[in-house]
Amino acid sequence: MALVAVGLVLLAVYPSEVEGYYDCKWNKDHNGNTIARIDCDDNPAAATLDGCQTECDNYYGCKGIVWIPNQYGWKDGYICCFLKKKIGKLQSQYNRVTCKKY
């Protein structure tokens, strides 16, 4: 019983800050609903999964991403991160990661 009380006190003192949680599916793509295409030559931080998610966190209305992990598969040779206004039906596609933001 004492452990439960301590746990509750810790939760009250250190509230959870789960914000921008992403559920990611590897080798899945979502076509459509793109609101921004991120140039990863100009913005190399977006070339990582965390960086692409940060772009989404900082873009009003972004509800998910499609990220291309392997540079050789980047769209037009430089687009590696697509911000989405919604994530709908997914299809299989190698070298794509689709993440829905919660």
Side-chain angles (χ1 to χ4, degrees):
M1 192 63 118
L3 285 177
V4 172
V6 169
L8 291 174
V9 168
L10 287 175
L11 283 175
V13 174
Y14 301 103
S16 175
E17 293 187 25
V18 177
E19 183 178 303
Y21 164 76
Y22 289 87
D23 179 26
C24 298
K25 307 293 184 200
W26 286 77
N27 294 315
K28 296 290 183 182
D29 194 8
H30 171 70
N31 290 324
N33 300 308
T34 299
I35 54 177
R37 298 163 33 129
I38 307 301
D39 179 334
C40 291
D41 283 342
D42 288 343
N43 186 355
T48 67
L49 180 58
D50 286 340
C52 187
Q53 290 171 344
T54 298
E55 291 292 324
C56 183
D57 291 340
N58 294 329
Y59 196 99
Y60 178 78
C62 184
K63 303 295 183 189
I65 63 163
V66 173
W67 173 64
I68 305 173
N70 186 330
Q71 181 176 0
Y72 299 106
W74 288 1
K75 178 86 171 146
D76 300 327
Y78 58 92
I79 304 294
C80 70
C81 176
F82 299 82
L83 307 184
K84 304 289 184 169
K85 63 182 172 185
K86 74 176 190 173
I87 299 291
K89 186 176 178 180
L90 303 179
Q91 59 270 357
S92 294
Q93 184 166 353
Y94 176 73
N95 197 33
R96 298 290 187 275
V97 180
T98 298
C99 302
K100 183 174 183 180
K101 182 179 176 182
Y102 291 94

